[in-house]
Amino acid sequence: MRILQLSKETKSNILEDLLKRSPNSYSAYEERVAAIIDTVREKGDEAIFSYTRQFDGADITTDNIVVTKEEIEEAYATVDPTLLDVIRKALVNIREYHEKQRQYSWFDSKDNGIILGQKVTPLKRVGVYVPGGKAVYPSSVLMNVLPAKVAGVDEIIMTTPPGKDGKICASTLVAATEAGVDRIYKVGGAQAIAALAFGTESVPKVDKIVGPGNIYVALAKKAVFGHVSIDSIAGPSEILVLADESANPRFVAADLLSQAEHDEMASAILVTTSQTLAEQVSVEVDKFVAQLSRKEIIQKSLDNYGYILVADSEEEAIETANDIASEHLEIVMKDPFTVMTKIRNAGAIFLGTYSSEPLGDYFAGPNHVLPTNGTAKFFSALSVDDFIKKSSIISYSREALEPIYKDIVQFAECEQLTAHANSIRVRFED
């Protein structure tokens, strides 16, 4: 793994390289995605069935697009009971964490007749997209569905591409059922996003679409935003490890590779104040790559976006972490909690030697749907907040309005909005 001395030029070049991985850089695909969306919008079920045959090789019709109770029962019979037990344990942790994020309506009244407040309302219907094919992520099902359930969403539907046999991965079905999905549809890709955004004869229109997917799914979500809400446009996986000489180089190397194995565009970066640790981690990385099953993907990821950066000071290392704003940030230093207080930008922060990134992916409870490509500077992890909306409540009595109505009239006339001013003034005509 390459080792570089951290400098302004080094950091600038790395940031430029990382941004090239953003879905916003894949405009060449946008025309094709737009054509799929337009066709689904025009032809509905006919289009999604045709695209499913074309892209997934499955013969899906009105009769079999919805996963049946029998298919779910078959999935439970197929899944390893120990895996089911792990899914249920993880579900408890995820639900309990998100229950602490709940928000409630509130009202504040005063003696003169002013009532102000905020009404919190769950979304009515949400669509969860789950990748299929070689990608099997029951953990992602839990992470996307449970915050919606905790928020109180009325109906949660899921779409996922079927295999050529028309079936859905058993672990995906089990995770969805355990999490509380109401209906599961056998459709994937950009055509699934279009179906959720606009509705077809079989697939109902939703208020919001969440969940990860390939570049076609990401660009489709971007294209339908405004017709529906979306969670985010996710880019490739990222990890940044902040470490000093106290870190275990073997642990750090293993954690870097946990993200590099996702795909060739994934980013794995170590920022350290120790040249010795940098060299040790590089050696350990090479050892692991030689023995891991996804070594070809890992090596390409490291060649493209893997770096070990040696900083002159802890302050410089922290500044670099904030500039990169990584999806996952591990702090493996003598005093990780103090360093954490200086971090402004990160999707999820893991503190200490035994808080490895996969702990967050699968089990701890916080959401693993996180901002990527530097968007942690202004976006947050998926949460209960993503599945509610807030309405302002305003109620004034005449007694409360009279002392201040002329102030409002003056403000409106300043903006030359005379009808605004009139709507207040008319209430106090002689």
Side-chain angles (χ1 to χ4, degrees):
M1 199 168 171
R2 73 193 118 180
I3 301 175
L4 302 174
Q5 187 65 38
L6 184 56
S7 66
K8 287 185 178 179
E9 183 180 3
T10 303
K11 182 166 64 175
S12 176
N13 290 338
I14 290 172
L15 287 171
E16 186 176 342
D17 280 345
L18 293 177
L19 287 174
K20 291 177 183 176
R21 307 170 314 132
S22 168
N24 293 322
S25 301
Y26 289 83
S27 56
Y29 296 88
E30 288 181 348
E31 188 174 333
R32 189 174 180 186
V33 168
I36 293 172
I37 292 171
D38 289 343
T39 304
V40 172
R41 195 172 184 182
E42 178 185 349
K43 297 184 177 181
D45 276 359
E46 179 187 343
I48 61 174
F49 298 156
S50 175
Y51 283 129
T52 302
R53 282 192 293 273
Q54 179 182 345
F55 297 135
D56 302 306
D59 187 17
I60 298 301
T61 67
T62 306
D63 295 331
N64 65 357
I65 188 172
V66 179
V67 172
T68 64
K69 180 181 178 182
E70 290 72 25
E71 287 175 300
I72 292 173
E73 290 173 351
E74 181 183 347
Y76 272 88
T78 305
V79 165
D80 185 336
T82 58
L83 174 61
L84 177 57
D85 186 49
V86 171
I87 287 173
R88 287 172 172 167
K89 289 178 181 177
L91 187 150
V92 170
N93 293 342
I94 297 165
R95 184 175 57 222
E96 288 181 351
Y97 180 87
H98 288 84
E99 282 174 345
K100 294 178 173 64
Q101 297 175 338
R102 275 194 181 127
Q103 293 196 44
Y104 300 94
S105 300
W106 58 267
F107 297 90
D108 180 35
S109 60
K110 297 182 180 179
D111 293 341
N112 62 357
I114 295 176
I115 300 175
L116 298 177
Q118 181 173 272
K119 183 176 183 293
V120 175
T121 308
L123 300 184
K124 184 176 181 181
R125 181 186 291 138
V126 167
V128 176
Y129 184 87
V130 177
K134 295 180 181 178
V136 179
Y137 299 126
S139 62
S140 187
V141 175
L142 301 182
M143 293 292 183
N144 281 278
V145 174
L146 286 169
K149 291 295 289 186
V150 170
V153 171
D154 291 5
E155 185 179 12
I156 302 171
I157 67 174
M158 189 177 96
T159 64
T160 187
K164 291 182 180 180
D165 58 0
K167 294 186 176 182
I168 305 300
C169 173
S171 61
T172 298
L173 289 183
V174 167
T177 305
E178 291 290 322
V181 170
D182 294 293
R183 277 177 288 166
I184 304 169
Y185 291 86
K186 301 173 184 177
V187 56
Q191 60 272 24
I193 301 303
L196 291 170
F198 301 109
T200 72
E201 297 89 334
S202 296
V203 182
K205 173 179 167 54
V206 301
D207 300 312
K208 184 164 189 167
I209 302 171
V210 301
N214 62 18
I215 188 63
Y216 292 98
V217 170
L219 290 177
K221 287 171 70 177
K222 179 182 177 183
V224 301
F225 176 65
H227 297 282
V228 293
S229 180
I230 62 172
D231 52 348
S232 63
I233 303 170
S237 298
E238 305 166 345
I239 186 170
L240 188 148
V241 180
L242 271 178
D244 57 21
E245 68 280 1
S246 68
N248 182 313
R250 188 166 173 82
F251 293 175
V252 172
D255 292 355
L256 291 170
L257 300 185
S258 72
Q259 294 307 292
E261 77 167 340
H262 270 293
D263 62 64
E264 296 167 9
M265 303 289 283
S267 167
I269 299 174
L270 166 63
V271 183
T272 180
T273 51
S274 169
Q275 179 70 34
T276 300
L277 180 72
E279 294 169 358
Q280 291 173 334
V281 169
S282 181
V283 170
E284 294 294 339
V285 164
D286 291 341
K287 290 179 183 177
F288 278 128
V289 171
Q291 67 189 48
L292 290 169
S293 62
R294 295 169 66 88
K295 59 185 176 185
E296 291 184 6
I297 292 174
I298 292 172
Q299 191 58 61
K300 287 181 180 178
S301 169
L302 296 178
D303 291 343
N304 291 331
Y305 302 106
Y307 301 94
I308 296 176
L309 305 177
V310 181
D312 290 332
S313 66
E314 182 178 294
E315 290 71 23
E316 185 183 36
I318 293 170
E319 180 184 357
T320 300
N322 280 324
D323 287 341
I324 292 175
S326 186
E327 177 187 18
H328 306 100
L329 172 65
E330 288 189 8
I331 303 176
V332 192
M333 307 179 84
K334 293 175 183 174
D335 188 359
F337 285 89
T338 297
V339 173
M340 178 267 295
T341 64
K342 301 174 184 178
I343 296 297
R344 296 185 64 91
N345 306 320
I349 302 172
F350 301 78
L351 303 177
T353 300
Y354 292 95
S355 304
S356 177
E357 187 279 335
L359 177 65
D361 272 353
Y362 297 114
F363 208 78
N367 211 288
H368 77 198
V369 180
L370 302 166
T372 58
N373 284 109
T375 59
K377 291 177 181 176
F378 43 83
F379 283 145
S380 305
L382 190 72
S383 72
V384 171
D385 290 350
D386 287 287
F387 299 98
I388 62 172
K389 52 195 179 74
K390 304 168 187 175
S391 302
S392 303
I393 304 296
I394 301 168
S395 176
Y396 268 57
S397 65
R398 179 185 175 88
E399 177 189 4
L401 182 60
E402 187 169 15
I404 50 92
Y405 88 90
K406 292 181 180 178
D407 297 335
I408 302 169
V409 168
Q410 183 176 1
F411 223 142
E413 290 178 342
C414 167
E415 296 183 351
Q416 299 182 23
L417 297 174
T418 54
H420 279 63
N422 185 61
S423 122
I424 296 291
R425 186 187 290 115
V426 72
R427 284 165 166 75
F428 296 95
E429 291 176 335
D430 293 336

